[in-house]
């Protein structure tokens, strides 16, 4: 029974670690994410747009299958987990082999290896030593570091370069896992939301994506915000001057613009929008007495401000409508968009014991502006603005970015760093007693370019062998390197 | 005597094309010059692009001539023309850059400008470094379509909206252009591999017919209107924009009779496929001869359709089904139909080239093994570039939108492209996929790249609204 179970486990492991499984999973990811870009997705689509695009029936089916929110569906997450599992399994399965390859370089090729290797070449040599020296010199000349390998009864030459390349693919896979890990951490502990602030306002409540709110342990105050335009009127820059308030003190200040957020204790504040908040900051008026006896005066009023015009008369900025409509002598707020603004002033005269209503623009069916003791002329309307901030907390970011850097390094190793090995073994023919130098080489990628290099090496050795045969053996320096 | 004559003729026919192309280049440049004198504005971007177009077209014709006749001297002149086109193209890029104050990556037009530039550079590199001389027959027409599209999509210099004011924009887009151009090159190389790998000519016939059929089918299915009209998007020439009835709903005008013509062409481009099917089914080679004739006929009809389309859709006014009155349309309103039609003609012409000159092509191209290897090399160049492009985009998105990944369609499709090439690499490395299967993969990969580049922008709207 136990054997059975182990066999089953082994089989499962083989399946998960196999390249076929990986390919099938990746194809599934491709198909499902493509579906996620073609079917409208709930998180980024208005509900009524969804309804107009699909029939109720189709929508029910799509919703039930999670196809309207593919990238947050449990099965998509499950698929990504399976992909990670597959990467881990495939890497674990193949790693020991590669590690052995990496940690115990194969320095002395045995006979069967020598027979099978391509490319290889045999050169006739006078004796063992001259062949070894020629091989060392040729390798040196091409910039390799030859190593003399000592076996019980004979020597050989081994040289290699960029052994790390054998492990590059694991670096790539590890970096992908690191990225996945980062996104999972963000998915579990990260959050995103918005915070809209009027100039001067302080708040610590962020509205999250799902409609709930989150209270920060510190508050953000917007000291000023603004927009700069290009000549053609399109926005060039949005900026906000923000301050972080913690325990009643300003602990950090920064002017943020798009692409340059404020970071405080792991929470980032991004400039995302800017616009009028539908509130009035100041209404500037010129007031002239109706009886023509007094001076003109200019006054600035914030909403609900009361200002004396003379000893007897005061004016109060009573109401403001960003977009108004009049029905049955009443003024209504049509919307909060600054489309069609109206202002209501209340002028009080103590001596007359009466309030007069003044409207901008003048509305005869609501009130008669001319009855008031002062005539007003609105010269300027300064509007309040809000700044829209995106707020996000992504604790897994470090994983993502270090994964990305590692991925870049890994990929450049995978594609551009080649593990090259050369062997040179003097071989004695048992029948004739003559020596020949067996030269072999291997590269783990880009084999065609390698073959050229191998031929260069062989040509160089041939050249080295000629003068070597003429010099006396005593001149040669023998260095013996251990295995 | 006759042989001597024939031998004499060989170089003369060789010269004819060069002289003809040279003359037409000179003629077009002269006409352009007259225009310039009239407007008094010599080095404007339009003129530079026009010059680039003329040179690229000349280069394309010469490369094609080289493909057909194998005359070596064509290549020299073809690369000369490519060089000149590249100079004009570079000047246009520089002009745009100077005028806008930022590198030209901010709109589809500007990206095409950079894309065509990269493609021309890579063509020259492939030719000089790897000796793939005929590559221009594929890349130059792509460059020409690119420049024509640019003329249509040409936008005024828009200042950068706040989200685009980042160094990461330039990093991201430069990487994207390099990666996409490398993908385009791998596609062309994979096609050549298939030729060298003795893929049957009739298979190419079937693919050619199927792709042109797909083009016409998608036009007819989506745009055919009652009584044989063809609906095209209306165009507001002042605003240089499409006309919208309400948010997301475009106004279409109906061009009469064009629908019938399209349907007719659809049937004719489908006929080689039918004959091919018959030949396979009945095992009768004579159907293939018919199929090849049908391709020839389809080219004539396609050219006619293209001409009719250009004539009818070019800046005229037509009625609409959704609103009263006549509304203007323009070629600029239907860039995809236009490039589809041009692409169809081009694909069919390439097939004819293959049909007539297959043995010569085989001689001219590098060996299949080499092509396979170079394809792999370009992809191993494209893949890290794609990776870095996505990473740079993610970093930039994190700076701008507060999130490094938001599953926006463009992002998702970039990831899909990456996955497709990752699959290719895995298959190649672990399963030893070489040759034909690898070539098919390279072709699919490029199709996905094109969809990511164009398809997503126009079909799947999202955050990436700029391009």
């Amino acid at each position: 029974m136990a054997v059975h179970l182990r066999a089953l486990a082994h089989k499962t492991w083989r399946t998960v670690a196999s390249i076929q499984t990986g390919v099938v999973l990746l194809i599934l990811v491709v198909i499902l994410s493509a579906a996620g870009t073609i079917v409208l997705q709930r998180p980024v689509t208005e509900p009524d747009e969804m309804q107009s695009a699909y029939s109720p029936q189709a929508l029910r089916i799509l919703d039930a299958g999670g196809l309207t929110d593919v990238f947050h569906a449990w099965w998509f997450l499950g698929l990504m987990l399976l992909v990670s599992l597959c990467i881990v399994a495939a890497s674990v399965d193949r790693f020991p082999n590669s590690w052995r390859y990496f940690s115990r370089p194969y320095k002395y090729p045995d006979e069967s290896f020598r027979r099978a290797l391509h490319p290889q070449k045999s050169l006739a040599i006078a004796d063992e030593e001259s062949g070894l020296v020629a091989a060392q010199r040729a390798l040196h000349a091409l910039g390799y570091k030859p190593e003399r390998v000592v076996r019980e009864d004979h020597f050989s030459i081994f040289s290699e370069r960029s052994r790390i390349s054998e492990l590059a693919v694991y670096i790539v896979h590890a970096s992908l896992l690191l990225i996945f890990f980062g996104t999972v951490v963000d998915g579990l502990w990260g959050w995103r939301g918005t915070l809209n602030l009027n100039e001067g306002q302080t708040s610590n409540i962020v509205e999250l994506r799902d409609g709930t709110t989150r209270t920060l342990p510190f508050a953000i105050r917007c000291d000023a915000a603004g927009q700069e335009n290009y000549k053609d009127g399109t926005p060039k820059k949005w900026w906000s001057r923000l301050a972080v308030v913690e325990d009643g003190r300003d602990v950090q200040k920064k002017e943020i613009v798009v692409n340059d957020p404020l970071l405080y204790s792991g929470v980032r504040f991004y400039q995302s929008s800017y616009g009028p908040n539908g509130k009035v900051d100041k209404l500037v008026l010129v007031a002239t007495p109706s009886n023509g006896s007094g001076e003109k005066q200019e006054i600035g009023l914030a909403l609900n401000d009361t200002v004396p015009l003379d000893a007897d008369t005061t004016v109060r900025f009573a109401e403001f409508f960003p977009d108004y409509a009049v029905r049955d002598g009443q003024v209504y707020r049509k919307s909060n968009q600054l489309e069609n603004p109206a202002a209501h002033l209340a002028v009080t005269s103590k001596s007359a014991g009466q309030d007069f209503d003044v409207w901008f623009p003048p509305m005869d069916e609501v009130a008669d502006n001319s009855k008031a003791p002062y005539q007003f002329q609105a010269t300027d309307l300064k509007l309040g603005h809000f700044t829209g901030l995106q707020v996000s907390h992504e604790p897994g970011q470090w994983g993502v970015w270090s994964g990305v850097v590692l991925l870049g390094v890994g990929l450049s190793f995978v594609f551009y760093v080649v593990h090259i090995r050369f062997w040179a073994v003097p071989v004695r023919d048992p029948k004739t007693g003559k020596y020949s130098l067996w030269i072999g080489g291997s590269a783990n990628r880009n084999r065609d370019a390698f073959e050229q290099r191998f031929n260069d090496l062989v040509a160089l050795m041939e050249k080295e062998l000629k003068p070597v045969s003429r010099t006396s053996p005593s001149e040669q320096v023998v260095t013996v390197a251990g295995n | 005597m006759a042989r001597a004559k024939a031998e004499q003729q060989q170089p003369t026919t060789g010269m004819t094309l060069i002289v003809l192309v040279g003359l037409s280049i000179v003629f077009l440049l002269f006409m352009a010059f007259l225009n310039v004198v009239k407007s008094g504005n010599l080095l404007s971007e339009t003129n530079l692009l026009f010059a680039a177009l003329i040179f690229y077209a000349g280069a394309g014709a010469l490369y094609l001539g080289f493909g057909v006749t194998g005359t070596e001297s064509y290549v020299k002149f073809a690369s000369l023309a490519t060089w000149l086109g590249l100079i004009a193209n570079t000047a246009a890029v520089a002009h745009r850059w100077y005028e806008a104050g930022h590198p030209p990556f901010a709109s589809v037009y500007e990206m095409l400008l950079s894309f065509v530039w990269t493609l021309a550079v890579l063509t020259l590199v492939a030719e000089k470094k790897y000796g793939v001389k005929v590559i221009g027959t594929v890349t130059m027409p792509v460059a020409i379509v690119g420049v024509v599209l640019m003329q249509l999509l040409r936008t005024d210099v828009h200042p950068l909206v706040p989200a685009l004011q980042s160094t990461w924009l330039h990093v991201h887009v430069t990487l994207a252009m390099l990666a996409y151009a490398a993908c385009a090159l791998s596609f062309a190389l994979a096609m050549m591999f298939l030729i060298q790998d003795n893929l049957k000519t009739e298979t190419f016939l079937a693919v050619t017919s199927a792709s042109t059929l797909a083009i016409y089918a998608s036009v007819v299915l989506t745009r055919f209107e009652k009584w044989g009209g063809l609906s095209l998007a209306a165009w507001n020439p002042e605003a240089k924009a499409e006309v919208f009835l309400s948010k997301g709903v475009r106004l279409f005008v109906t061009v009469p009779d064009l629908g019938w013509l399209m349907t007719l062409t659809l049937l004719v481009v489908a006929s080689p496929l039918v004959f091919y099917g018959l030949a396979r089914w009945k095992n009768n080679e004579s159907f293939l001869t018919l199929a090849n004739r049908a391709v020839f006929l389809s080219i004539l009809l396609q050219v006619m359709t293209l001409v009719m389309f250009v004539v009818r859709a070019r800046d005229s006014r037509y009625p609409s089904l959704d609103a009263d009155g006549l509304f203007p349309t323009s070629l600029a309103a239907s860039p995809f139909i236009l490039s589809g039609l041009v692409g169809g003609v081009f694909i069919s012409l390439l097939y004819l080239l293959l049909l007539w000159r297959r043995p010569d092509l085989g001689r001219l191209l590098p060996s299949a093994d080499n092509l396979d290897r170079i394809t792999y090399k370009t992809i191993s160049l494209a893949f890290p570039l794609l990776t870095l492009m996505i990473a740079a985009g993610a970093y930039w998105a994190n700076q701008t939108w507060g999130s490094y990944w938001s599953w926006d369609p463009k992002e998702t499709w970039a990831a899909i492209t990456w996955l497709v090439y990752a699959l290719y690499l895995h298959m190649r490395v672990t399963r030893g996929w070489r040759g034909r299967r690898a070539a098919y993969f390279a072709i699919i990969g490029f199709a996905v790249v094109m969809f990511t580049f164009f398809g997503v922008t126009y079909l799947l709207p999202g955050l990436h609204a700029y391009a």
Side-chain angles (χ1 to χ4, degrees), chain A residues 19-20 33-34 37 71 76 186 192 230 235-236 258-259 270 392 394 397 400-401 404 407 411 415-416 446 448, chain B residues 159-160 162-163 165-166 373 380-381 384 387 391 395 398-404 407 412-413 425 430-431 460:
Chain A
I19 188 88
Q20 283 95 332
S33 23
T37 62
F71 303 112
F76 194 78
D186 279 353
R192 285 185 67 191
Y230 289 107
K236 178 184 180 185
V258 178
N259 285 328
Y270 298 84
S392 77
E394 292 165 327
Q397 252 195 75
V400 174
W401 301 129
V404 163
L407 184 63
L411 281 178
F415 288 114
Y416 305 115
N446 210 0
D448 45 314
Chain B
L160 289 176
Q165 294 161 6
S166 164
R373 225 172 281 140
S380 61
L381 183 72
T387 313
Y395 191 78
N398 197 40
Q399 292 283 303
T400 309
W401 301 317
S403 160
Y404 46 80
W407 293 110
T412 311
W413 275 96
L425 293 169
T430 61
R431 304 252 98 186
L460 309 168

Side-chain angles (χ1 to χ4, degrees), chain B residues 14 18 62 65-67 69-79 127 133 363-364:
Chain B
I18 296 179
L62 285 168
F66 169 68
T69 64
T71 315
E72 284 283 337
S73 56
Y74 287 168
V75 179
K76 249 188 284 164
F77 287 98
S79 22
E127 189 187 311
K133 286 173 184 157
R363 215 162 17 78
L364 294 168

Side-chain angles (χ1 to χ4, degrees), chain B residues 28-59:
Chain B
L28 285 169
L29 282 180
F30 180 70
M31 294 301 286
F33 179 71
L34 286 184
N35 243 336
V36 168
V37 169
K38 215 160 62 183
S39 67
N41 186 0
L42 179 64
L43 279 178
S44 79
E45 208 175 308
T46 323
N47 295 342
L48 287 167
L49 270 182
F50 193 62
L53 179 64
I54 292 168
F55 284 123
Y56 285 152

Side-chain angles (χ1 to χ4, degrees), chain A residues 88-108:
Chain A
V88 171
S91 303
V92 168
D93 198 45
R94 288 162 183 75
F95 187 72
N97 224 344
S98 304
W99 180 250
R100 218 171 299 133
Y101 206 73
F102 179 77
S103 59
R104 301 220 312 265
Y106 187 65
K107 292 186 176 176
Y108 180 77

Side-chain angles (χ1 to χ4, degrees), chain B residues 17-189:
Chain B
L17 184 68
I18 296 179
V19 169
L20 270 177
V21 171
L23 276 180
S24 41
I25 288 181
V26 169
F27 173 73
L28 285 169
L29 282 180
F30 180 70
M31 294 301 286
F33 179 71
L34 286 184
N35 243 336
V36 168
V37 169
K38 215 160 62 183
S39 67
N41 186 0
L42 179 64
L43 279 178
S44 79
E45 208 175 308
T46 323
N47 295 342
L48 287 167
L49 270 182
F50 193 62
L53 179 64
I54 292 168
F55 284 123
Y56 285 152
L62 285 168
Y63 277 122
L64 214 64
F66 169 68
V68 172
T69 64
T71 315
E72 284 283 337
S73 56
Y74 287 168
V75 179
K76 249 188 284 164
F77 287 98
S79 22
L80 179 71
T82 314
W83 269 113
L84 290 173
L86 185 62
I87 290 169
N89 195 343
T90 312
V93 170
H95 189 270
R96 183 74 175 197
W97 192 332
Y98 172 75
E99 200 184 331
H102 58 79
F105 302 137
S107 62
V108 174
Y109 165 79
E110 293 183 355
M111 304 244 287
L112 269 173
L113 192 63
S114 317
F115 174 76
V116 170
W117 186 86
T118 322
L119 199 61
V121 169
L122 283 180
T123 305
L124 288 171
V125 168
E127 189 187 311
K128 298 277 177 290
K129 182 136 188 275
Y130 294 105
V132 194
K133 286 173 184 157
V134 257
I135 191 114
T137 39
V138 180
T139 52
M140 276 304 117
V142 173
I144 295 165
V145 173
V147 180
V148 171
L149 266 183
M150 270 189 257
Q151 304 283 6
L152 301 179
L153 297 175
R154 202 182 131 69
T155 48
D156 295 325
V157 174
H158 282 303
L160 289 176
V161 297
L164 290 181
Q165 294 161 6
S166 164
T167 344
W168 288 98
L169 162 74
H170 306 142
V171 176
H172 174 64
V173 182
T174 311
L175 288 167
M177 286 301 105
L178 288 173
Y180 289 177
C183 293
L185 202 62
S186 76
F187 163 76
L189 288 164

